[in-house]
Amino acid sequence: MTATLTNQPTIALLGQPNSGKSTLFNGLTGARQRVGNWPGKTVEKKEGHYDRNGLRYRVVDLPGSYSLSANSEEEIITRDYIASGQADVVCILADSSQLSRSLFMLADYAGMECPAILLLNLMDIAESQGKSVDAEKLEKKLGIPIVPFVAADRKKYDVFYAAVERALDEKKLVNADSLLENFHTIENGVFEKLLELLPNEGLESYSAHWLAIKLIEGDIAILEKIKSTLSEDNYRQIQSILSSIKNGALHTGGCKFKWVDELLSDTFVKKQERPLLSKFDRLATHRRFGKPLAILIILLGLVASFIPAAPIMFAGGLIPKLGEPIANALSAISAPQMLTDFINHVILNTLYFAVAMIGFVFGVNLVFGFLEEIGYMARVSYVFDGTMAKLGLQGKAVMPLVVSFGCTIGGAAGTRVIDSWAQRVLTIALAWVVPCAATWAIVPVLSSLFFGAWAPLIIVAIFLVAGIHMMITAKVFGSKLIRDEDRAGLIMELPPYHKPRWKALFRSIFVRTWDILSRALKVILIVSTVFWLLTYSASGSPDKTLLYRFGRAIEPATIIFGFTWQTFLAYLASMLSKEAALGVLGTLYLGAGTLFSATVGSGGEMAAGLSSVLLTSLTPPTALAFIFAVTFNAPCLMAITSTYQETRSLKWTLRILGYYFATSLILAFLAYHIASLIF
Amino acid sequence: MFTKFIRLMNNGKSRSLFEISELLGISPETAEAFIEYLSRKKMLSRVIYNAEELCGSNGCSHCSGCKGCDKSQSGKNVPKIWELNKKLN
């Protein structure tokens, strides 16, 4: 040791990042600090001092490091400094709020032949979490001074000063007897074999057992360091032993954590969590019951989404009623008829659809945002892991699928975390099944219009069909793409349950809802205008328009699938964007007033509300066919582009696109014919 | 203990931290410490669903309703996920 006790004892502060080391260093030294670099390194070196009882104590703040391995420059500097013997006492800081984790440093330190004290820092936080430590008992086990401590509270530093003085006086090392017992259990007796070959006295401040453990961990720097102290034969034997060890860090790490667990087994107490919440969580994450519970909660959530949606949807329904007063007002100022038609049939329809659909978007965001906010949705993704496996997906595919509820584009982009290309393609293919936010914008509007109070049942049916669709799609694509060995195990750390932060929740809901509303307004307006112009006839004879003639020509084929020619065109438009389907429907059915008459032949009136026109023009089976077709059609043009970008395969993008086009027609066909038997 | 931990992860299932800790007979805090240790030894990798990385990709910078783009929500209530490094499989 270079420093003597009577002269200037040196205290080295050792701890993992965020253990409170810097707080203690600043608390001890105040303005008496020097900052520089460690010799030949870019790592910052901080030194300072404090005076007490006529002695000047030098304090060295060692770089924050997780352990004393050679994983980083900081770790090497730290252990080399301690081994050099420059410190008279090492003060190890542990975060009391997470002792299992932070005492690993102590386990890694055990075997260093330098006196130490253990500071159980952040004790205030640990206590607030219901944790307590029996420091006296722990001290008996470890043999070094143990100090429950709060580095931020300088008024209580006396316990620290006293512990340092004791450590300097008694010069006790960490008692590692039980840790050594654990090391002896490492398979094939490699620990003993290495101990026999290493110098008994160790090297510098490293004990022989510390060196042996680092060698088992594959620490090249230590192997190089001891090379000069060994005979050629011993060195060769050590190399031979080391080459037989596989994943040595697993064995030594296991021994160290076991030791920490043993230390804490009767010295650490944690207050139990609230039993009610804990019971619910057991059920929510149960392998067998978690899934039905999740399904039940999701279904109830969807039904509940209609409650906040209802008044908004009702308000949307009032918008078309403005048509007559607006038409009268425009007529009074002799506005052109085309302008009146445009406002009545394009602008008001756009507003009607946009406002009506946003009600459910708001409701869904509110209910599911709440479930996400309190931490439940993370459990849903966990319990459905088994389903992921059945679909041939990796566990981590769950997040892209969850994101797809918001937007398929986000889901496709989220598959980048999946390493296997085949798994990525399959995940994207399945993400297309997940109804995105835009789907939830239009389906409830139409379901409520045609099925009234039964609308929630349609939503439930869509979910059931989506589940079956996923299974079939996984079989269709998975057989060509997936091998069982592609699936890796995962660990999920589920977020704790907590009270919702209402302000953040509502801010997020309003942002999302506004985003969807503004996009819907734009898309519906543009599509409605284009289709309105295509069907507008100043002569009042829309049957002369190209679109009308084309529609009439294809209708014998489309009706097989349950489509009128108008709903078929709306279905095709939904491939560009789901909202576009509403624009097309609105324009084609209300058109310039006369198109509806020409199509339906019942003398549709200009002032007729779109909802009543749709109810007159479509039967429940055709409406249901349309709802299913649009829901399970390709999500949107951007999602198709994004699929191509993520898969980098035109072939697979077209396959997925073709598959969804075909399956959505089949589903429309089934929905139409089954509904025809019922209604 | 780590060998059992790796074995549990090698069967392709996802497990929660709580489940892992129960199967190993350790506390969830210790299981968390295991994960940190194995991550440092590059035996486990964290799966990062980085909203900021995803945002704007695919020309979707103006898409709506995409959680991937909703930075205010990113990572707050989603599970933290780790996967086993392939070479240990």
Side-chain angles (χ1 to χ4, degrees):
Chain A
M1 292 181 196
T2 53
T4 61
L5 184 60
T6 50
N7 189 8
Q8 192 172 337
T10 299
I11 306 162
L13 305 183
L14 172 69
Q16 294 178 343
N18 303 319
S19 59
K21 212 160 43 66
S22 298
T23 311
L24 176 62
F25 178 75
N26 292 331
L28 290 173
T29 60
R32 301 171 296 276
Q33 297 185 6
R34 266 202 330 270
V35 180
N37 277 3
W38 289 89
K41 309 281 181 186
T42 51
V43 179
E44 192 180 73
K45 182 181 186 185
K46 283 160 84 177
E47 275 188 44
H49 67 266
Y50 68 89
D51 298 328
R52 192 171 161 82
N53 298 335
L55 272 182
R56 171 153 293 185
Y57 292 82
R58 193 168 151 251
V59 186
V60 178
D61 187 11
L62 294 172
S65 53
Y66 175 76
S67 66
L68 297 174
S69 300
N71 292 328
S72 66
E73 205 172 25
E74 284 81 359
E75 292 187 350
I76 294 174
I77 288 171
T78 300
R79 72 183 193 188
D80 283 351
Y81 177 81
I82 297 168
S84 71
Q86 293 177 61
D88 295 293
V89 62
V90 174
C91 172
I92 304 166
L93 283 97
D95 177 351
S96 307
S97 66
Q98 38 185 340
L99 280 177
S100 304
R101 176 181 167 273
S102 60
L103 283 184
F104 184 82
M105 174 61 95
L106 178 76
D108 220 27
Y109 180 85
M112 292 286 233
E113 293 177 338
C114 179
I117 63 172
L118 176 65
L119 278 196
L120 301 175
N121 193 27
L122 302 169
M123 206 61 210
D124 51 341
I125 293 175
E127 281 167 359
S128 72
Q129 294 171 348
K131 295 170 181 170
S132 61
V133 186
D134 186 339
E136 214 172 299
K137 208 170 195 175
L138 193 59
E139 185 165 322
K140 274 185 195 153
K141 285 185 173 189
L142 286 170
I144 56 168
I146 311 284
V147 186
F149 197 64
V150 181
D153 188 356
R154 291 183 60 189
K155 288 177 192 155
K156 294 181 183 163
Y157 273 24
D158 281 348
V159 283
F160 168 80
Y161 298 133
V164 169
E165 282 158 22
R166 254 180 72 205
L168 288 167
D169 189 35
E170 295 169 1
K171 292 189 174 13
K172 283 190 177 168
L173 305 180
V174 177
N175 176 3
D177 292 350
S178 53
L179 179 60
L180 289 183
E181 279 172 29
N182 291 347
F183 289 147
H184 282 292
T185 63
I186 296 176
E187 48 194 55
N188 301 327
V190 287
F191 180 61
E192 291 90 332
K193 287 179 193 167
L194 287 171
L195 278 183
E196 280 168 22
L197 296 166
L198 288 167
N200 283 339
E201 68 282 4
L203 179 67
E204 300 171 359
S205 288
Y206 301 122
S207 68
H209 96 248
W210 193 93
L211 293 170
I213 290 305
K214 287 297 159 195
L215 289 177
I216 294 172
E217 285 171 9
D219 194 321
I220 304 292
I222 290 295
L223 186 62
E224 284 302 308
K225 207 181 255 289
I226 59 160
K227 192 176 176 182
S228 58
T229 66
L230 298 169
S231 67
E232 217 169 278
D233 186 43
N234 279 6
Y235 184 69
R236 244 198 328 271
Q237 283 188 57
I238 285 178
Q239 278 190 314
S240 158
I241 293 168
L242 297 182
S243 64
S244 70
I245 301 170
K246 199 182 162 202
N247 296 324
L250 281 185
H251 301 295
T252 61
C255 293
K256 289 175 192 173
F257 277 111
K258 191 172 171 231
W259 181 67
V260 171
D261 244 19
E262 287 162 358
L263 280 180
L264 296 177
S265 61
D266 55 352
T267 56
F268 175 76
V269 180
K270 187 187 171 194
K271 205 168 69 186
Q272 288 300 307
E273 286 172 40
R274 280 181 294 170
L276 189 65
L277 206 53
S278 164
K279 265 185 195 167
F280 174 78
D281 201 37
R282 274 182 184 273
L283 187 64
T285 55
H286 194 277
R287 286 269 170 212
R288 196 182 302 159
F289 304 119
K291 217 181 294 178
L293 178 71
I295 292 171
L296 183 71
I297 290 177
I298 288 172
L299 292 180
L300 286 175
L302 285 168
V303 174
S305 300
F306 275 93
I307 298 168
I312 304 173
M313 290 168 101
F314 175 76
L318 298 176
I319 292 175
K321 295 192 190 306
L322 297 172
E324 199 172 339
I326 290 175
N328 290 341
L330 288 172
S331 168
I333 57 166
S334 306
Q337 185 57 39
M338 193 175 175
L339 177 66
T340 309
D341 291 343
F342 181 74
I343 291 173
N344 257 339
H345 304 125
V346 176
I347 303 290
L348 290 185
N349 281 343
T350 301
L351 286 173
Y352 159 65
F353 276 132
V355 174
M357 67 185 235
I358 216 63
F360 192 72
V361 172
F362 176 79
V364 163
N365 272 312
L366 178 64
V367 172
F368 289 93
F370 172 79
L371 290 175
E372 188 182 341
E373 180 66 25
I374 59 171
Y376 178 69
M377 289 310 279
R379 270 83 184 161
V380 175
S381 56
Y382 168 67
V383 293
F384 277 97
D385 173 69
T387 314
M388 295 285 113
K390 280 181 193 145
L391 294 173
L393 293 175
Q394 285 187 3
K396 59 185 168 179
V398 73
M399 288 314 291
L401 292 183
V402 170
V403 169
S404 296
F405 272 106
C407 175
T408 315
I409 302 162
T415 59
R416 282 176 208 171
V417 296
I418 299 167
D419 315 311
S420 146
W421 175 84
Q423 281 275 347
R424 226 167 30 233
V425 174
L426 180 61
T427 309
I428 294 175
L430 289 172
W432 278 36
V433 182
V434 178
C436 68
T439 310
W440 296 120
I442 66 165
V443 169
V445 174
L446 296 173
S447 304
S448 308
L449 187 61
F450 285 94
F451 304 100
W454 295 101
L457 205 63
I458 304 297
I459 309 286
V460 171
I462 283 175
F463 261 85
L464 291 176
V465 170
I468 298 166
H469 195 322
M470 279 185 130
M471 282 190 262
I472 295 170
T473 306
K475 285 259 181 276
V476 171
F477 289 100
S479 59
K480 291 187 182 126
L481 288 167
I482 300 303
R483 292 164 305 162
D484 278 349
E485 58 267 30
D486 281 342
R487 192 176 157 82
L490 294 180
I491 302 178
M492 291 186 180
E493 186 185 339
L494 303 172
Y497 289 109
H498 52 77
K499 286 179 187 165
R501 286 155 290 194
W502 291 108
K503 206 174 155 187
L505 177 64
F506 274 102
R507 193 172 52 229
S508 158
I509 292 169
F510 283 121
V511 166
R512 286 186 206 180
T513 308
W514 174 249
D515 268 357
I516 293 175
L517 178 65
S518 56
R519 186 179 67 169
L521 278 170
K522 274 184 265 179
V523 171
I524 298 174
L525 184 64
I526 292 167
V527 172
S528 298
T529 307
V530 168
F531 274 76
W532 183 78
L533 288 172
L534 285 172
T535 56
Y536 186 77
S537 167
S539 66
S541 306
D543 52 337
K544 296 281 187 303
T545 62
L546 193 62
L547 193 70
Y548 176 78
R549 280 184 286 168
F550 170 73
R552 280 297 199 195
I554 61 167
E555 197 161 54
T558 63
I559 200 68
I560 298 168
F561 299 97
F563 292 111
T564 63
W565 69 268
Q566 294 94 331
T567 57
F568 186 73
L569 289 182
Y571 157 73
L572 290 182
S574 73
M575 291 167 90
L576 298 174
S577 155
K578 300 278 187 204
E579 298 92 334
L582 288 180
V584 175
L585 267 194
T587 314
L588 292 186
Y589 273 113
L590 216 48
T594 49
L595 182 65
F596 172 67
S597 313
T599 310
V600 182
S602 60
E605 294 170 15
M606 288 269 290
L610 179 60
S611 51
S612 55
V613 171
L614 284 175
L615 281 170
T616 317
S617 318
L618 298 176
T619 60
T622 50
L624 198 65
F626 179 70
I627 288 170
F628 273 86
V630 169
T631 302
F632 295 105
N633 196 4
C636 65
L637 187 61
M638 284 302 293
I640 299 167
T641 314
S642 143
T643 299
Y644 171 67
Q645 282 175 338
E646 296 304 328
T647 59
R648 303 269 169 218
S649 165
L650 185 62
K651 185 178 91 179
W652 277 97
T653 306
L654 291 177
R655 271 187 187 180
I656 295 171
L657 180 62
Y659 172 80
Y660 274 83
F661 184 68
T663 48
S664 59
L665 285 178
I666 292 169
L667 284 170
F669 175 86
L670 291 174
Y672 175 68
H673 289 282
I674 292 170
S676 297
L677 298 174
I678 302 168
F679 298 103
Chain B
M1 211 174 327
F2 274 123
T3 323
K4 195 175 171 192
F5 183 94
I6 300 291
R7 248 200 329 267
L8 282 173
M9 285 198 70
N10 257 344
N11 67 1
K13 275 189 181 171
S14 297
R15 299 187 188 274
S16 72
L17 201 67
F18 184 72
E19 189 184 359
I20 279 273
S21 63
E22 282 207 328
L23 289 168
L24 292 176
I26 55 176
S27 65
E29 285 86 358
T30 307
E32 244 174 90
F34 274 25
I35 290 171
E36 187 177 10
Y37 178 77
L38 293 173
S39 302
R40 286 183 181 276
K41 297 289 174 194
K42 305 204 185 319
M43 293 172 181
L44 284 184
S45 316
R46 171 93 189 270
V47 181
I48 298 172
Y49 298 96
N50 190 334
E52 293 201 14
E53 263 178 30
L54 298 178
C55 185
S57 53
N58 306 307
C60 69
S61 57
H62 300 296
C63 71
S64 304
C66 167
K67 283 186 180 178
C69 297
D70 189 353
K71 290 174 192 171
S72 63
Q73 290 294 309
S74 64
K76 210 169 53 183
N77 289 311
V78 296
K80 281 187 196 163
I81 298 178
W82 287 268
E83 66 177 337
L84 198 61
N85 193 328
K86 276 209 173 85
K87 67 182 179 188
L88 290 168
N89 285 333

